[in-house]
């Protein structure tokens, strides 16, 4: 069971990486641009428009050619020009991507293609909202684009897969296959969530070099209402006792879909808690992100205090989860506890199998009792059929 109220603070936040000044992108990479050029020339002989389409693909080829040639009549890119322009693509000046993809539609499409994501019907309203919010965001006094300001406020890592895809194409590195697995969110929605979180605290991104980006999913599924049913006790057992940062997804019966990322341990408390890295992300009905400390309240144990989960006025979950439709909780792992993660997965698998057998056995017992009482069965059903189902399940 989860811990009781305690004054002990156990934050996994990394010092000197506050959200207010942490750039979620990459530092300028002092790379060997000369060797990249020579390698490309050795493969393609010349860097012309056709070569760019081979290197970057259909969607990125033309925009990047226009970027390198400044939309001129140039037919071939020189070594000097290649080095000068490529250096910009390796920098953390994300304004460069607005030059390459000048409209919001082009930029967002490039981001999702970079992350290898195909948008689904359930994503359309969210993407529409994001576009509208970008348009309404005012440019900064320093001239920074409103689009970049929106990205910085809501999804600071939105452009990272795009940048990584372009750079990997240049240096000949294999494309990264990002893992955006979720039983409640689409891949696009999970991509937006991971783009909104501090990468050091929640994604295990070490340092700000682009060459450290690997797309590995460092999250282990701790709890899923699909596997464990909706249960306060099980949520406490699997999530409250987890000793590292957690990311919990809640779908409520008012159609609210949201994510709560916590870098401290969950606890039963009569007071609000949470470090400056506690992040709330609303997916539906409106997409936005907010980062607030001392805003989370959770209690299912202390009888003298209100029970349930709240996050200021943005989230309210009943003490019996009666307004919850589905939950999925993830825990951040690292190389040290990968083995423990695999053990936990096996435990969850056995737990789910045990529950399935329990429900089948109960159903089988009910059928036998009903038959003894002389109750009729639905057409085509029989005790023997259910008995066979039970035995097959037991064998599996």
């Amino acid at each position: 069971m989860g811990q009781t109220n305690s004054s002990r603070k156990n934050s996994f936040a990394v010092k000197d990486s506050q959200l207010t000044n942490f750039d979620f992108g990459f530092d300028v990479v002092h790379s060997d641009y000369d060797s990249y050029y020579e390698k490309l020339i050795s493969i393609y002989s010349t860097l012309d428009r056709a070569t760019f389409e081979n290197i970057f693909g259909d969607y990125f080829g033309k925009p990047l050619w226009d970027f390198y040639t400044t939309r001129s009549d140039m037919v071939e890119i020189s070594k000097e020009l290649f080095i000068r322009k490529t250096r910009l693509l390796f920098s953390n000046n994300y304004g460069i991507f607005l030059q390459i993809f000048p409209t919001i539609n082009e930029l967002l499409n490039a981001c999702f293609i970079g992350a290898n994501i195909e948008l689904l019907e359930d994503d359309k309203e969210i993407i529409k909202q994001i576009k509208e919010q970008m348009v309404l965001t005012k440019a900064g006094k320093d001239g920074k684009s409103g689009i970049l300001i929106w990205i910085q406020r809501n999804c600071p890592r939105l452009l990272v897969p795009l940048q990584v895809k372009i750079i990997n194409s240049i240096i000949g590195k294999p494309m990264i296959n990002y893992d955006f697995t979720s039983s409640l969110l689409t891949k696009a929605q999970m991509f937006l969530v991971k783009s909104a979180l501090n990468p050091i605290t929640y994604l295990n991104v070490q340092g700000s070099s682009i060459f450290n980006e690997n797309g590995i999913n460092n999250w282990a599924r701790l709890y899923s209402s699909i596997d464990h049913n909706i249960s306060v006790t099980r949520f406490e057992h699997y999530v409250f006792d987890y000793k590292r940062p957690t990311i919990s997804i809640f779908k409520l019966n008012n159609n609210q879909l949201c994510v709560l990322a916590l870098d401290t341990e969950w606890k039963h408390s009569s007071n609000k808690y949470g470090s400056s890295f506690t992040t709330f992300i609303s997916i539906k009905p409106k997409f936005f992100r907010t980062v607030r400390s001392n805003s989370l309240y959770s209690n299912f144990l202390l009888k003298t205090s209100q029970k349930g989960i709240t996050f200021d006025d943005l989230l309210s979950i009943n003490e019996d989860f009666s307004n919850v439709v589905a939950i999925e909780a993830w825990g951040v792992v690292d190389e040290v506890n990968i083995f423990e993660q695999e053990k936990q997965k096996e435990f969850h698998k056995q737990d789910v199998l045990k529950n399935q057998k329990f429900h089948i056995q109960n159903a089988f017992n009910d059928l036998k009792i009903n038959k003894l009482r002389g109750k009729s069965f639905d057409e085509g059903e029989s005790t023997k059929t259910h008995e066979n189902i039970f035995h097959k399940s037991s064998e599996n």
Side-chain angles (χ1 to χ4, degrees):
M1 193 67 65
Q3 67 185 57
T4 56
N5 187 17
S6 170
S7 60
R8 179 174 65 89
K9 293 184 178 180
N10 189 3
S11 173
F12 301 95
V14 178
K15 292 182 178 180
D16 301 323
S17 60
Q18 294 297 317
L19 289 170
T20 52
N21 58 24
F22 185 81
D23 188 307
F24 284 8
F26 296 108
D27 294 333
V28 176
V29 177
H30 300 285
S31 196
D32 190 358
Y33 306 109
D34 186 277
S35 67
Y36 298 152
Y37 175 83
E38 297 298 340
K39 183 177 180 180
L40 291 174
I41 290 297
S42 69
I43 298 173
Y44 299 102
S45 299
T46 183
L47 295 184
D48 56 15
R49 183 187 290 269
T51 300
F52 262 54
E53 291 183 359
N54 285 329
I55 295 172
F56 299 108
D58 294 337
Y59 191 84
F60 291 163
K62 183 181 183 305
L64 284 168
W65 175 260
D66 290 341
F67 165 71
Y68 272 85
T69 62
T70 323
R71 294 179 172 82
S72 67
D73 295 331
M74 191 180 301
V75 296
E76 183 178 341
I77 294 174
S78 66
K79 181 176 182 178
E80 179 185 2
L81 179 60
F82 173 84
I83 292 175
R84 178 158 52 88
K85 291 283 189 168
T86 302
R87 190 185 304 274
L88 297 174
L89 297 174
F90 279 66
S91 76
N92 61 5
N93 176 17
Y94 283 160
I96 204 70
F97 295 108
L98 286 180
Q99 295 181 31
I100 301 171
F101 307 100
T103 70
I104 292 177
N105 281 336
E106 290 173 335
L107 182 66
L108 288 178
N109 286 340
C111 289
F112 288 115
I113 291 173
N116 196 28
I117 289 174
E118 183 176 347
L119 296 178
L120 303 178
E121 186 68 28
D122 196 38
D123 301 320
K124 290 184 178 179
E125 179 60 30
I126 297 171
I127 302 305
K128 178 183 176 183
Q129 290 180 15
I130 290 175
K131 291 177 181 178
E132 292 173 348
Q133 292 173 23
M134 285 181 168
V135 170
L136 294 174
T137 303
K138 295 181 179 179
K141 294 181 179 179
D142 58 355
K144 180 181 287 187
S145 163
I147 296 174
L148 289 181
I149 291 176
W150 185 93
I151 291 174
Q152 185 177 21
R153 289 175 180 172
N154 295 278
C155 294
R157 285 175 55 85
L158 183 66
L159 296 166
V160 168
L162 165 60
Q163 183 183 32
V164 171
K165 182 178 178 66
I166 291 174
I167 290 178
N168 284 352
S169 298
I170 292 173
I171 67 179
K173 189 176 179 180
M175 296 297 104
I176 291 177
N177 293 317
Y178 292 91
D179 188 344
F180 299 116
T181 302
S182 173
S183 59
L184 294 186
L185 304 182
T186 66
K187 289 185 177 181
Q189 292 164 11
M190 184 59 97
F191 167 49
L192 292 172
V193 167
K194 290 193 172 184
S195 298
L197 295 175
N198 183 290
I200 295 178
T201 304
Y202 296 106
L203 305 180
N204 277 349
V205 174
Q206 303 301 319
S208 54
S209 169
I210 194 167
F211 297 110
N212 291 333
E213 187 75 6
N214 54 32
I216 294 176
N217 183 19
N218 290 307
W219 293 2
R221 187 184 276 111
L222 304 177
Y223 170 86
S224 170
S225 56
I226 294 177
D227 296 332
H228 305 108
N229 298 320
I230 297 175
S231 166
V232 173
T233 302
R234 293 197 172 194
F235 183 79
E236 287 180 276
H237 175 71
Y238 290 117
V239 181
F240 274 56
D241 283 340
Y242 196 71
K243 306 301 181 183
R244 291 182 57 80
T246 55
I247 301 90
S248 301
I249 306 169
F250 298 99
K251 183 177 182 180
L252 306 186
N253 58 13
N254 62 356
N255 295 321
Q256 183 179 13
L257 181 61
C258 61
V259 178
L260 185 57
L262 183 67
D263 73 300
T264 59
E265 292 179 44
W266 283 78
K267 60 184 179 181
H268 301 284
S269 175
S270 58
N271 299 309
K272 293 182 179 181
Y273 63 98
S275 78
S276 58
F277 289 82
T278 304
T279 306
F280 179 88
I281 304 168
S282 172
I283 306 296
K284 295 180 180 180
K286 181 181 179 181
F287 183 85
F288 65 87
R289 178 194 77 155
T290 183
V291 182
R292 301 179 186 177
S293 61
N294 298 317
S295 298
L296 174 63
Y297 177 90
S298 60
N299 173 46
F300 298 103
L301 183 63
L302 305 176
K303 295 182 179 180
T304 57
S305 299
Q306 176 185 344
K307 293 185 179 180
I309 298 173
T310 64
F311 188 86
D312 285 347
D313 59 343
L314 300 177
L315 175 67
S316 180
I317 295 177
N318 298 340
E319 62 177 286
D320 58 355
F321 279 3
S322 58
N323 63 331
V324 175
V325 175
I327 307 175
E328 183 178 55
W330 298 83
V332 178
V333 299
D334 56 24
E335 294 179 358
V336 176
N337 59 11
I338 287 293
F339 177 70
E340 291 299 322
Q341 174 189 353
E342 294 304 318
K343 285 174 59 179
Q344 191 175 51
K345 285 182 179 179
E346 181 61 26
F347 175 78
H348 288 177
K349 180 180 177 181
Q350 295 300 325
D351 193 33
V352 171
L353 183 61
K354 181 179 178 181
N355 286 334
Q356 289 175 342
K357 290 182 177 180
F358 175 77
H359 290 308
I360 292 174
Q361 179 67 70
N362 281 347
F364 176 58
N365 291 338
D366 289 343
L367 285 169
K368 290 199 297 185
I369 292 172
N370 287 337
K371 188 174 183 180
L372 290 173
R373 290 175 176 174
K375 292 186 176 181
S376 61
F377 295 91
D378 292 336
E379 185 177 355
E381 289 189 330
S382 69
T383 305
K384 184 177 181 181
T385 301
H386 286 80
E387 186 175 7
N388 290 338
I389 293 174
F390 171 70
H391 287 311
K392 287 181 180 179
S393 176
S394 300
E395 291 171 0
N396 293 332

